[in-house]
Amino acid sequence: MKAIYTFSETDRSSLSDSLIFLGANPYTDYEKFRDAIGSLIAEERVPAGFVDACSQIKRQRDDKLTYAHVVSNCPLDVDRPVFDQTNPVDDKYLQKQTFVGEGVLELLAQLTATPLLSYATRNNGDFFHDVYADNRYSGTQTQKTDWELYWHNDRTAHPVRADYLALLGMRCPTDDLVFTKYVDGRELLKFISPENQELLREKAFVTPYDELSRASNRKQQVSDLHTLLENEHSFRYYDTRTMPADPSSAPHYEAVRQFRDALAKSREQYHRIQEGDLLVIANQDGLHSRQMVDIQHFETTRLRWLLKTYAFRDDAAADVHSDVWLDGVRGRVLD
């Protein structure tokens, strides 16, 4: 994918300096960190090119032109430690002392008016997550895996799901080819008959929770009944997991079969996230996956690290869940 904006070295350095000296830790006091980022915007200390790029991203989403964007050469923390893969989240708390990458992601959220979302049962309620291999989840279908991810929406089984995802390349292999694929929901609809679209809009499907969610909350085993298609072209699906709740319902299985055929037929977008790349995609209005194309040095690729955020579509979407915000922290849902 072509970048909508590339930081110049001057702007990259200037913003990095501002983010290093925020004086707030997003993992111990997210609200203070969020407000400090807001002050940078109010004081016009964010490069105009990035501000304009975020406005363009928002405009293109509103106009339904595209839901996938790339910003390149973003500021990153100078020190990007290698975390202990037996418990990388706790090791990050110990080792990471600057929060430049987190600042870039929070700036994106505020400048596109898409407030961040976190889950009380995931990574201690953090708003910033690591796509980073954890030995406990090797070969699984979670963001902690060291291998491929099938077509999916993030948090498919959960009742509260992000509208947008952002992925920032913090450490990316230079020799091995790892691609993120994205397919727009409108592409999928081209290959699904009206009759099957109606079946997919019925609350007739279930999705088992992923391994990480089950480990975080033992009550999370299988989702409630849900639609597979909703709104104009929003999908709730995880390949190999989502299925009709009634195993004897041939019409619903046929609808899923045609949907999976549509995945094979639709035009896809590919992006190889490199260090400093910020990939922003719709989570519900499309599907995404990870493809390991050519891996020559698996142990190096296991250290690949992306910073990630979940975001609501807008303030109104966030306010829908205000009754379940944990400890009064906006955007942290009890899930």
Side-chain angles (χ1 to χ4, degrees):
M1 291 174 57
K2 183 179 180 180
I4 193 172
Y5 171 70
T6 299
F7 276 91
S8 69
E9 289 303 320
T10 299
D11 284 347
R12 183 178 188 269
S13 177
S14 173
L15 182 56
S16 179
D17 289 344
S18 296
L19 295 172
I20 286 174
F21 297 108
L22 278 180
N25 183 328
Y27 301 104
T28 58
D29 192 340
Y30 169 70
E31 292 179 298
K32 181 179 179 181
F33 181 81
R34 180 199 62 202
D35 293 345
I37 293 294
S39 295
L40 287 184
I41 297 172
E43 295 165 8
E44 299 184 348
R45 293 169 60 193
V46 182
F50 185 54
V51 175
D52 291 343
C54 290
S55 295
Q56 189 174 351
I57 290 171
K58 186 177 186 306
R59 185 167 58 252
Q60 289 187 359
R61 289 171 174 173
D62 292 343
D63 294 342
K64 301 181 180 181
L65 297 178
T66 182
Y67 301 103
H69 297 89
V70 173
V71 175
S72 62
N73 200 37
C74 294
L76 298 177
D77 302 83
V78 174
D79 183 18
R80 281 162 275 158
V82 174
F83 305 132
D84 181 350
Q85 290 181 296
T86 61
N87 193 334
V89 173
D90 284 353
D91 198 37
K92 178 181 68 174
Y93 297 152
L94 293 173
Q95 292 203 61
K96 199 167 190 297
Q97 302 299 314
T98 60
F99 310 103
V100 174
E102 291 87 346
V104 170
L105 291 169
E106 180 64 35
L107 279 171
L108 171 77
Q110 294 194 28
L111 290 169
T112 57
T114 53
L116 295 186
L117 159 68
S118 78
Y119 298 92
T121 58
R122 177 65 60 92
N123 297 340
N124 304 305
D126 292 342
F127 284 83
F128 303 93
H129 304 268
D130 306 304
V131 179
Y132 190 88
D134 184 320
N135 293 338
R136 293 169 292 183
Y137 300 102
S138 177
T140 64
Q141 286 292 299
T142 77
Q143 68 181 18
K144 306 298 184 184
T145 190
D146 51 11
W147 198 239
E148 295 190 331
L149 292 170
Y150 309 144
W151 286 114
H152 68 286
N153 318 104
D154 271 35
R155 311 284 280 183
T156 317
H158 294 257
V160 181
R161 297 172 308 285
D163 294 302
Y164 295 107
L165 307 176
L167 297 163
L168 178 62
M170 298 290 285
R171 183 170 54 248
C172 303
T174 56
D175 296 333
D176 297 345
L177 301 180
V178 182
F179 284 89
T180 300
K181 295 198 300 181
Y182 175 77
V183 60
D184 191 305
R186 292 169 294 187
E187 283 290 312
L188 296 170
L189 290 182
K190 294 177 183 178
F191 304 101
I192 306 173
S193 69
E195 295 78 13
N196 281 332
Q197 288 186 35
E198 287 304 311
L199 286 167
L200 295 175
R201 291 183 182 278
E202 295 180 6
K203 283 192 174 182
F205 304 91
V206 292
T207 302
Y209 281 82
D210 64 273
E211 295 87 347
L212 182 56
S213 293
R214 294 200 303 269
S216 301
N217 186 344
R218 293 182 179 179
K219 295 180 181 179
Q220 296 176 336
Q221 297 297 320
V222 179
S223 72
D224 293 335
L225 288 173
H226 65 80
T227 63
L228 201 153
L229 170 62
E230 57 189 13
N231 303 321
E232 181 183 349
H233 54 86
S234 299
F235 287 89
R236 187 174 177 183
Y237 177 78
Y238 204 117
D239 208 7
T240 75
R241 284 185 179 159
T242 303
M243 63 192 74
D246 180 358
S248 66
S249 177
H252 289 99
Y253 270 99
E254 171 58 23
V256 172
R257 184 201 64 76
Q258 190 177 74
F259 166 74
R260 296 187 69 180
D261 283 353
L263 274 172
K265 296 174 180 177
S266 296
R267 181 178 59 184
E268 304 160 351
Q269 294 174 272
Y270 288 70
H271 189 70
R272 181 190 179 200
I273 300 176
Q274 301 187 65
E275 289 184 7
D277 276 2
L278 174 58
L279 175 64
V280 193
I281 56 176
N283 183 45
Q284 298 191 60
D285 288 335
L287 297 170
H288 60 283
S289 67
R290 181 197 300 171
Q291 188 171 24
M292 314 286 270
V293 177
D294 185 15
I295 307 302
Q296 301 293 326
H297 309 287
F298 181 63
E299 289 306 312
T300 299
T301 299
R302 288 190 86 248
L303 300 178
R304 179 177 184 258
W305 174 24
L306 311 179
L307 264 181
K308 174 181 181 179
T309 52
Y310 304 112
F312 289 112
R313 186 178 305 273
D314 50 31
D315 285 330
D319 289 341
V320 168
H321 303 287
S322 61
D323 60 331
V324 292
W325 288 348
L326 184 66
D327 299 327
V329 178
R330 178 180 173 83
R332 181 174 292 155
V333 298
L334 185 60
D335 186 356

